[in-house]
Amino acid sequence: MAEHLNFPHSRALGRSLKVLELLSEKGGMTDQQIALALGYKLLTVQQLLAVYRHYGYVSCNAKGVYDLSVKVLDIGTKYSQRKRVNDIAQSFLRRLSLKFNETTTLGAIEGTDLIYLEKVESSEMLRFAPKKEQRITAHHTALGKSILAHLPELELEKYCRNVSWHAITAKTITSRESLLPKLAQIRKQGYAICDEEYCIGVRSIARVILDKSNYPQYSIGIWGPVERMAPN
């Protein structure tokens, strides 16, 4: 682990994190109080605080007292919500896997990737099991397509502009023009299928999970060999 810390600016990054940790523990402090508590030069602290303010991570009142902003609290809240979703999903994935004896997964899109957040593996000898936190181009997967099908139009267009349309198998979708009709069909039927588009011999089916505002936050799906996963 230590060898990964030997890169340019690693010490500066470590010092900057110490400032945030101090504010989280002590609350509002002036730049001089922060410098004294951490043993940093006042100029260094002032520079770090200026960066934090620019990106919205700290606020400063008229008396020059700095504190963590609402943005930091929002990050913590989102993490707590995601952790809760993962915990709930794990129980559901387990029941789903037991019912069908196939690998079940929970995923979300970040950028142009589908990230696997949770999984429960099949007990079958022949099975497909993506690694937790593994990233796969979203439209190569049923989970990703089920989310893409429900994205707001502007977000979907951004995805189509930024994604790489490379082929993994002969069945991989390789253009915006090919993807959009597939997404329309997914919206109509209520679920997505990945039919050997990422891996030959593997088929999956997924359904989107919408939040209170009908935004597609997550997707849940089942993976298995084509011999056991009927296309219909």
Side-chain angles (χ1 to χ4, degrees), residues 54-201:
H54 175 75
Y55 288 102
Y57 289 102
V58 300
S59 59
C60 182
N61 63 22
K63 295 182 179 180
V65 175
Y66 293 85
D67 206 347
L68 297 180
S69 69
V70 175
K71 184 174 183 178
V72 176
L73 299 177
D74 185 51
I75 291 173
T77 300
K78 287 179 179 178
Y79 171 77
S80 297
Q81 291 174 342
R82 181 167 61 85
K83 182 67 166 63
R84 183 170 179 271
V85 167
N86 288 10
D87 290 342
I88 294 172
Q90 184 66 226
S91 175
F92 182 76
L93 291 174
R94 191 175 296 109
R95 294 199 302 271
L96 198 61
S97 182
L98 285 172
K99 181 176 181 178
F100 295 101
N101 199 21
E102 299 293 355
T103 297
T104 55
T105 54
L106 173 76
I109 287 181
E110 183 176 287
T112 59
D113 292 336
L114 187 286
I115 305 176
Y116 292 96
L117 302 175
E118 294 290 343
K119 69 169 182 176
V120 173
E121 290 191 25
S122 168
S123 61
E124 294 281 355
M125 289 291 291
L126 179 61
R127 62 182 183 271
F128 178 80
K131 296 178 181 178
K132 189 174 178 180
E133 302 297 334
Q134 182 177 348
R135 292 171 174 264
I136 298 176
T137 301
H139 68 271
H140 293 175
T141 69
L143 279 84
K145 287 191 292 184
S146 68
I147 295 175
L148 290 172
H150 293 83
L151 280 180
E153 184 177 352
L154 290 178
E155 289 189 37
L156 179 57
E157 286 301 321
K158 181 180 179 181
Y159 173 88
C160 291
R161 288 195 306 271
N162 295 335
V163 74
S164 171
W165 295 102
H166 63 285
I168 300 296
T169 76
K171 294 187 175 183
T172 302
I173 297 171
T174 57
S175 71
R176 173 184 179 277
E177 292 70 27
S178 298
L179 176 64
L180 295 185
K182 298 282 188 181
L183 299 184
Q185 179 63 27
I186 291 167
R187 287 191 293 273
K188 181 179 179 180
Q189 64 193 19
Y191 60 90
I193 293 176
C194 176
D195 190 14
E196 301 183 277
E197 295 160 47
Y198 177 70
C199 182
I200 294 297

